[in-house]
Amino acid sequence: MGSRALALLAFVLVCSAATYPKGVDVSNHQGSSIDWLQVAGAGYTFAFAKASEGTTFTDATYAINRTGTKAAGLYFGAYHFAQPAGTSDATITASAIAQADHFVDVAQPRGGDLPPVLDLETVNGLKQPALVKWTQAWLDEVTARTGVSAMIYTSPSFWKTYLGDTTSFATGSHHLWVAHWTSAGAPLVPASNWGGLGWSFWQWSDCLSVPGISTKCVDGDRVNGPDPGGFALAALPSGAPSSATPPTLVGTPRAGAKLAAVPGTWNGGKPVTFTYQWEACDGVGANCVPISGATLESYTPSVNDVGHTIVVTVTATSKSLAATASSAPTTPVAAASGATVPAVTAPPQISGTAVVGSTLTATTGTWSGSPTSYSFQWQRCDASAGACAPIEGATAATYLLTPGDIGATIELFVNATNSVGAQTATSSPTGVVLAAPVPAPTPESATAQLGQAGAVVTADGSATVTWQPGAVPAGTAVGLATSGAQLALTLSPQIKTLAWPLDIAYATPPDTQVVGFSTDGRVWSAVAPLTAGALPSGLLAGVYQGQVLTRKPGFYRLFVPNAWGDPRKVSRFAPRLRRVAPIRVTTLRSGARIVSTRMSTPSQIFFQPGRRRILAPGTFPVKIRVRRGTHVVHLVAVDPYGRRGGFTLSFR
């Protein structure tokens, strides 16, 4: 190629590079006083900011930079400076997952952001296969939590030297932000032009002078496209999480050797957070019991786990919605030596009556291997002795049956331990636990007795409240009285929330009415209908077949469905009005004016002017006659509970 042609090509490349939208990347080294409006005014359209490093460092300027760039109209992305670590598959995986979790917690990626970034600049002694494994684990965890594929920041020489120039991440939909400081029109791109995809972002300089940033040198970046928005994340999905692929375990099940949990993949709402509960199971992966304190992404089996299989249960939470999934069990945990663990020769036994308020007593059973200690875990199972789950805190040799055990059977795990390890044996289940007999109700008030059920009826016989042993602390006075159109349930001394529900039964079942609850007798909330005769642990009150199950004292009242005051139709907050249509002003021949529009309300309201009752939340028409010269109209909304809200219509 001739010299004139080379010069022309160089000119074209430089001009082409100059047309790439430009951006910067910053960290605490640029300080906390960046003037992002000046940066945007100088033609910069995007910025990446450091969010985290390792598992403990949070960049103090990250939140400031996120707010500042958004206010200035720049596209924004976050990056994590990697500190790879680990000496085994399990420790490498655990390190990567812990760092990815720290990054997501700090960065909080959301729709409209640029992709999250893994900044790979150091290896900390990891060889090529280990670093590839660490990188993949970090990227997989970010994808599991956010539903998006993170980008990789690296230089061509680093990628070729320490990651073997692998193309696996390019084919896995992870874009490249390449660090190549050059005045050339294009960067060098590793991994066979990143698997044919090329670069997405290019850090072409490490020392730019940028208006609005006081430090001498700022990293300069370009985006491979007409607009950084082409790489922006879509809105993250919402809804309840659901397991797509189950969690898996990495590592060898041996006492003293770490295991790492990979949480699997999840459909549904993002971002999602993961919590872990490791469990020790019997030799075939059944009868699993939570391991106390084992709630991190990794777990190191102890001698107590020898002979047990290990399972991890992962809970995925998106906003207030959660779901769980469990891994397959490991093979039995091997001992650090060749000695034998205890073995049961006669199983544990349970004695006692399966009635709420009764105490069950356990024996340890008979064991070989000379156990030096025993531990207990009681389990609650369904009526057919299946679907068992550990009972929180039930780790003594005795167990007091509670109202939550009604309809269930009870089993016992006994764990025997010696110097080599531990083994678990299971008792036979009890019969189905029955409710304790309820005595005849006393009028208006009764004091709860230890181990006994109780009942109170209103003076007029309109309603009765009953409780099972343990639902109300012994010595507590339970009162039930009518107050006008409402019931007043009281506890003395006052208890805000009970562990187990009371049962309020109306003499005339309120099947066609809505049950409302109030703590002050003025503002009401609807009591949710239940699909079964048990109150879920996270719910304070519910209605099932005309009976109210409640953990909370207060007032209860019946409302006519869809009528004025129906608490399902009244907002939790004071009334709010919002205009949802243009204001139209019509002048009559008389000179008076008709102002019309549409408003919305999230609640039933009494609307003024017009003195109308709006019985259903939603939109409604407004038409007001005003005098000539009137330009402002004040609207007032009052809900059925007396709370007020207003809105001002201004017009010409």
Side-chain angles (χ1 to χ4, degrees):
M1 185 180 293
S3 60
R4 291 186 62 188
L6 288 172
L8 178 61
L9 177 60
F11 174 77
V12 170
L13 288 175
V14 170
C15 289
S16 176
T19 63
Y20 292 128
K22 59 183 182 178
V24 295
D25 58 273
V26 296
S27 68
N28 56 88
H29 296 297
Q30 279 69 50
S32 59
S33 57
I34 297 175
D35 187 336
W36 287 106
L37 289 175
Q38 281 196 50
V39 176
Y44 290 88
T45 60
F46 67 92
F48 287 98
K50 182 177 182 179
S52 55
E53 179 176 336
T55 57
T56 58
F57 177 80
T58 299
D59 194 305
T61 64
Y62 174 75
I64 299 171
N65 289 330
R66 172 181 271 282
T67 301
T69 54
K70 291 296 184 181
L74 276 68
Y75 286 96
F76 178 81
Y79 72 86
H80 173 80
F81 191 94
Q83 291 290 354
T87 56
S88 66
D89 286 353
T91 56
I92 289 168
T93 301
S95 165
I97 289 176
Q99 291 193 40
D101 286 341
H102 177 51
F103 167 71
V104 173
D105 292 342
V106 173
Q108 298 183 10
R110 63 201 68 170
D113 284 358
L114 296 176
V117 179
L118 175 63
D119 181 349
L120 283 172
E121 300 185 42
T122 184
V123 299
N124 293 333
L126 266 65
K127 302 300 183 184
Q128 176 186 318
L131 187 58
V132 169
K133 183 181 293 290
W134 190 97
T135 302
Q136 188 67 64
W138 191 96
L139 295 170
D140 288 347
E141 179 71 0
V142 170
T143 300
R145 289 196 57 183
T146 66
V148 301
S149 295
M151 192 158 52
I152 295 173
Y153 168 94
T154 190
S155 70
S157 61
F158 185 93
W159 195 259
K160 292 177 181 179
T161 302
Y162 297 109
L163 289 106
D165 210 26
T166 177
T167 61
S168 61
F169 298 100
T171 57
S173 300
H174 299 287
H175 289 284
L176 173 66
W177 175 10
V178 65
H180 182 202
W181 306 329
T182 177
S183 59
L188 295 177
V189 181
S192 300
N193 194 34
W194 205 249
L197 299 176
W199 59 276
S200 298
F201 290 84
W202 169 21
Q203 188 187 79
W204 69 277
S205 174
D206 67 336
C207 196
L208 291 182
S209 177
V210 178
I213 304 179
S214 59
T215 51
K216 180 179 179 181
C217 285
V218 181
D219 294 337
D221 300 283
R222 293 168 176 153
V223 60
N224 195 0
D227 184 339
F231 292 93
L233 304 179
L236 301 187
S238 60
S242 62
S243 176
T245 60
T248 56
L249 299 180
V250 178
T252 301
R254 183 179 297 277
K258 179 174 286 190
L259 298 174
V262 178
T265 59
W266 297 77
N267 298 322
K270 299 291 187 303
V272 67
T273 58
F274 298 125
T275 54
Y276 303 85
Q277 178 60 67
W278 294 79
E279 301 174 1
C281 312
D282 62 22
V284 294
N287 300 313
C288 301
V289 177
I291 302 170
S292 177
T295 56
L296 301 177
E297 67 275 354
S298 62
Y299 173 67
T300 303
S302 69
V303 294
N304 294 335
D305 298 313
V306 173
H308 295 272
T309 57
I310 302 294
V311 163
V312 68
T313 296
V314 177
T315 299
T317 304
S318 176
K319 295 185 178 179
S320 59
L321 304 173
T324 60
S326 298
S327 69
T330 65
T331 56
V333 175
S337 67
T340 61
V341 297
V344 67
T345 56
Q349 301 291 325
I350 298 175
S351 61
T353 304
V355 174
V356 176
S358 299
T359 297
L360 303 180
T361 302
T363 66
T364 60
T366 306
W367 300 77
S368 64
S370 302
T372 56
S373 64
Y374 298 94
S375 62
F376 302 88
Q377 178 63 64
W378 296 83
Q379 287 214 130
R380 185 180 295 119
C381 311
D382 62 22
S384 61
C388 300
I391 302 171
E392 185 176 358
T395 57
T398 58
Y399 174 64
L400 178 64
L401 291 168
T402 71
D405 299 319
I406 295 174
T409 57
I410 305 297
E411 286 184 354
L412 172 71
F413 281 169
V414 175
N415 193 63
T417 305
N418 63 14
S419 60
V420 176
Q423 188 61 271
T424 300
T426 309
S427 72
S428 298
T430 66
V432 174
V433 177
L434 303 177
V438 177
T442 60
E444 297 190 306
S445 180
T447 300
Q449 304 297 318
L450 184 65
Q452 297 180 21
V456 173
V457 64
T458 58
D460 61 4
S462 61
T464 302
V465 61
T466 60
W467 63 91
Q468 282 290 296
V472 180
T476 302
V478 180
L480 188 68
T482 54
S483 176
Q486 61 202 33
L487 287 175
L489 174 63
T490 59
L491 299 174
S492 181
Q494 186 175 7
I495 300 172
K496 291 185 177 180
T497 305
L498 295 168
W500 308 106
L502 310 182
D503 187 340
I504 300 175
Y506 287 88
T508 302
D511 294 329
T512 61
Q513 295 177 287
V514 177
V515 180
F517 171 77
S518 175
T519 57
D520 57 10
R522 186 173 67 89
V523 177
W524 299 86
S525 59
V527 178
L530 302 174
T531 57
L535 190 62
S537 60
L539 204 60
L540 294 179
V543 178
Y544 180 70
Q545 294 183 349
Q547 294 183 320
V548 180
L549 303 177
T550 180
R551 293 186 173 91
K552 197 168 183 66
F555 298 96
Y556 294 85
R557 182 176 174 181
L558 303 180
F559 295 85
V560 177
N562 303 314
W564 182 250
D566 182 345
R568 300 173 305 168
K569 307 293 184 179
V570 183
S571 171
R572 294 190 300 123
F573 307 102
R576 290 173 289 182
L577 293 172
R578 185 166 64 92
R579 183 170 61 84
V580 296
I583 299 173
R584 299 183 182 275
V585 180
T586 304
T587 303
L588 305 179
R589 289 183 179 180
S590 64
R593 296 177 177 179
I594 302 297
V595 179
S596 59
T597 184
R598 288 191 73 84
M599 307 292 293
S600 73
T601 173
S603 174
Q604 287 184 342
I605 57 169
F606 182 76
F607 180 72
Q608 301 179 65
R611 303 182 62 81
R612 285 189 291 160
R613 279 186 175 180
I614 309 299
L615 293 179
T619 64
F620 62 95
V622 174
K623 185 176 289 187
I624 304 167
R625 184 186 181 104
V626 299
R627 296 178 180 177
R628 179 190 297 271
T630 301
H631 300 292
V632 175
V633 176
H634 298 289
L635 308 179
V636 177
V638 183
D639 72 11
Y641 308 149
R643 298 174 296 181
R644 300 173 69 87
F647 190 88
T648 300
L649 286 179
S650 300
F651 52 89
R652 294 183 179 180

